[in-house]
Amino acid sequence: MAQLLQPETGTPETGTPEAGTIDPRILRSRRMLMEALAKLLITKHFEDISVQEIADEATLNRATFYLHYPDKNALLQAMTESRFRDLIERRSITFTNCHGALRAIALGVCDYLAESTGCPSQLARMALEGSIIPVVEDMFKEGLALHGTAPGGIAPDGIAPDGTAPAVEAALRATTAAWAVFGAARRWFQTPNRIPAEEMAARIETMVSPVLFGSSQ
């Protein structure tokens, strides 16, 4: 049962296994539950959907649902995170090059919010930050570590002016930047007659770049 309750995808921070290490039958059940919830969201509000309805739509029993997720909110978070990761992977968005990577990630967030299953009025109220921000944050951390991007103000001894260690400083910048990207993208998504996603991504890049890379970038 411990394996059943583990996420599909792992991260260095959590130490959870990658999807490839999980029994295919478990992954299949999870996909069925996610697809069932996505289908129900087309015609019903999330708060009106019960665990039993999700299980019935997935042709699974209620007990099986609870083997995988503690409640429907956990399923929603898993579903949105999985779909966002799929979008990032389909576009091959990585931090292999600092130039343009921030804009590409911001565009991915904007497009994900615009394309997600469910009517926009529901999506605008859902707590998607718990699904999207960790993915973006991990990408930023990996990019900073890969390129050794030192934020402005780091002294030759590797200590920031406030005494913060470089690794901690980089983590704080990655976290702050991830929240900023999501917040700006969500405000864009909720705005009537919004500008094109590509233009918004460029604006986000301009605003967030100093936070992520330091004022010298």
Side-chain angles (χ1 to χ4, degrees):
M1 183 178 296
Q3 186 187 36
L4 292 180
L5 294 176
Q6 290 171 342
E8 281 190 30
T9 56
T11 64
E13 289 75 20
T14 61
T16 52
E18 297 295 332
T21 66
I22 300 178
D23 190 312
R25 293 170 296 180
I26 295 174
L27 297 178
R28 178 174 176 274
S29 294
R30 290 179 180 177
R31 283 195 296 269
M32 292 171 66
L33 290 168
M34 291 180 191
E35 290 170 1
L37 176 58
K39 185 175 181 179
L40 289 169
L41 282 171
I42 297 174
T43 57
K44 301 188 69 172
H45 291 289
F46 177 69
E47 58 267 24
D48 296 328
I49 298 173
S50 69
V51 168
Q52 187 62 60
E53 287 177 294
I54 297 171
D56 289 343
E57 183 67 37
T59 64
L60 299 170
N61 59 52
R62 186 185 179 93
T64 299
F65 177 97
Y66 287 115
L67 284 176
H68 297 279
Y69 303 103
D71 52 42
K72 66 177 186 179
N73 293 295
L75 171 60
L76 174 65
Q77 180 169 330
M79 182 187 78
T80 53
E81 179 176 347
S82 175
R83 290 179 175 223
F84 180 60
R85 286 185 183 277
D86 286 346
L87 182 148
I88 294 296
E89 290 175 4
R90 287 199 309 271
R91 297 187 176 191
S92 300
I93 298 176
T94 64
F95 227 126
T96 55
N97 188 332
C98 285
H99 180 70
L102 176 54
R103 184 183 301 193
I105 293 171
L107 180 59
V109 176
C110 289
D111 286 345
Y112 177 79
L113 291 176
E115 297 172 3
S116 290
T117 300
C119 63
S121 61
Q122 281 199 76
L123 187 61
R125 297 195 300 271
M126 290 180 180
L128 297 178
E129 59 268 20
S131 305
I132 296 176
I133 289 176
V135 179
V136 176
E137 183 179 0
D138 285 346
M139 294 182 73
F140 287 161
K141 287 179 180 178
E142 291 168 7
L144 292 176
L146 177 64
H147 297 283
T149 305
I154 294 295
D157 60 1
I159 302 298
D162 62 358
T164 304
V168 176
E169 174 76 4
L172 288 173
R173 285 179 176 268
T175 299
T176 303
W179 276 93
V181 168
F182 176 81
R186 185 156 192 164
R187 177 59 63 89
W188 166 84
F189 173 70
Q190 294 173 330
T191 302
N193 303 315
R194 55 183 178 261
I195 62 176
E198 292 80 3
E199 183 178 343
M200 186 61 198
R203 292 188 181 184
I204 293 174
E205 180 184 40
T206 300
M207 292 185 293
V208 177
S209 184
V211 174
L212 187 61
F213 301 117
S215 57
S216 61
Q217 296 294 314

